[in-house]
């Protein structure tokens, strides 16, 4: 699975989203604007990242024989594991897309409601909310793709072998997980 295949999706999402956001009084990177927006984006991405990580490990563990069969028939590591990565991406991104589809119809966001109560014109509050939702969706999608790519690189080595020894049955600490991800990315 090549992460760069999804670059046009991210580029178009950012190109459509960022001009929608108005920065009339101050720039985006000033702390009163940057900190809450980044908090919302990271908060939305965390759920998708945890689902992607868990689903990646479980899917490789459950479909290890299918992946090994594809490898034995001559598929490269990325070709053999692609079907698993696509299913994991679909599973991890589905809650974010579902939330996006009901926004404003069934679910009225708190930020938009707070802006309207504070006296912001409804049109401006809706534009800001749409901008935040598109940015949250883009950050979730990008985070999920990055996590899936990292998990697949950890679970399959450079010789196209599944590394079942890297799947731990016990609870792994955050430091151990970070260390193994960094080591895998450095080795290539």
């Amino acid at each position: 699975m090549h992460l760069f295949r999804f670059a046009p999706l991210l580029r178009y999402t950012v190109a459509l989203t960022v001009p929608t956001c108005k920065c009339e009084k101050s720039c985006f990177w000033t702390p009163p604007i940057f900190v809450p927006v980044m908090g919302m984006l990271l908060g939305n991405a965390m759920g998708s990242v945890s689902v992607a990580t868990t689903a990646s490990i479980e899917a490789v563990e459950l479909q290890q024989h299918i992946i090994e069969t594809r490898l034995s028939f001559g598929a490269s590591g990325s070709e053999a594991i692609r079907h698993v990565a696509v299913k994991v991406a679909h599973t991890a991104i589905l809650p974010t897309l579902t939330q996006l589809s009901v926004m404003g119809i069934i679910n009225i966001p708190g930020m938009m409601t707070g802006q309207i109560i504070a006296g912001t014109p409804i049109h401006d509050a809706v534009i800001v909310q749409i901008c935040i939702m598109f940015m949250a969706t883009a950050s979730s999608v990008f985070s999920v793709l990055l996590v899936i790519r990292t998990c697949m690189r950890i679970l399959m080595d450079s010789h196209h072998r599944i590394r079942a020894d890297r799947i731990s049955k016990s609870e792994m600490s955050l430091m151990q997980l970070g260390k193994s991800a960094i080591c895998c990315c450095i080795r290539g």
Side-chain angles (χ1 to χ4, degrees), residues 118-140:
T120 304
I122 294 173
H123 181 9
D124 291 345
V126 169
I127 287 176
V128 170
Q129 184 61 46
I130 289 170
C131 176
I132 294 294
M133 286 309 299
F134 281 146
M135 287 175 19
T137 303
S139 71
S140 292

Side-chain angles (χ1 to χ4, degrees), residues 22 24-25 111-129:
K22 300 179 200 175
E24 294 173 0
K25 295 181 182 177
M111 186 193 75
M112 185 175 78
T113 306
Q115 284 184 333
I116 293 170
I117 291 172
T120 304
I122 294 173
H123 181 9
D124 291 345
V126 169
I127 287 176
V128 170
Q129 184 61 46

Side-chain angles (χ1 to χ4, degrees), residues 20-119:
T20 307
C21 299
K22 300 179 200 175
C23 291
E24 294 173 0
K25 295 181 182 177
S26 61
C27 294
F28 177 73
W29 51 85
T30 58
I33 296 172
F34 184 76
V35 172
V37 170
M38 284 295 124
M40 286 186 269
L41 297 181
L42 293 174
N44 281 325
M46 280 178 21
S48 299
V49 165
S50 66
V51 169
T53 306
T54 306
S56 293
I57 294 169
E58 289 176 357
V60 169
E61 199 172 26
L62 290 173
Q63 298 188 11
Q64 181 174 356
H65 300 296
I66 296 170
I67 296 168
E68 288 175 345
T69 302
R70 289 179 179 194
L71 289 169
S72 67
F73 283 129
S76 68
S78 61
E79 291 172 346
I81 213 162
R82 182 175 294 134
H83 72 286
V84 174
V86 169
K87 287 180 183 177
V88 169
H90 181 266
T91 303
I93 295 170
L94 189 62
T96 304
L97 294 178
T98 304
Q99 181 185 12
L100 185 64
S101 69
V102 298
M103 192 60 56
I105 300 170
I106 298 169
N107 182 13
I108 307 238
M111 186 193 75
M112 185 175 78
T113 306
Q115 284 184 333
I116 293 170
I117 291 172

Side-chain angles (χ1 to χ4, degrees), residues 168-188:
S168 174
K169 300 294 181 194
S170 65
E171 294 292 323
M172 184 180 278
S173 72
L174 187 60
M175 291 299 291
Q176 291 171 333
L177 182 63
K179 182 181 175 185
S180 67
I182 290 170
C183 290
C184 180
C185 289
I186 290 173
R187 281 181 288 190

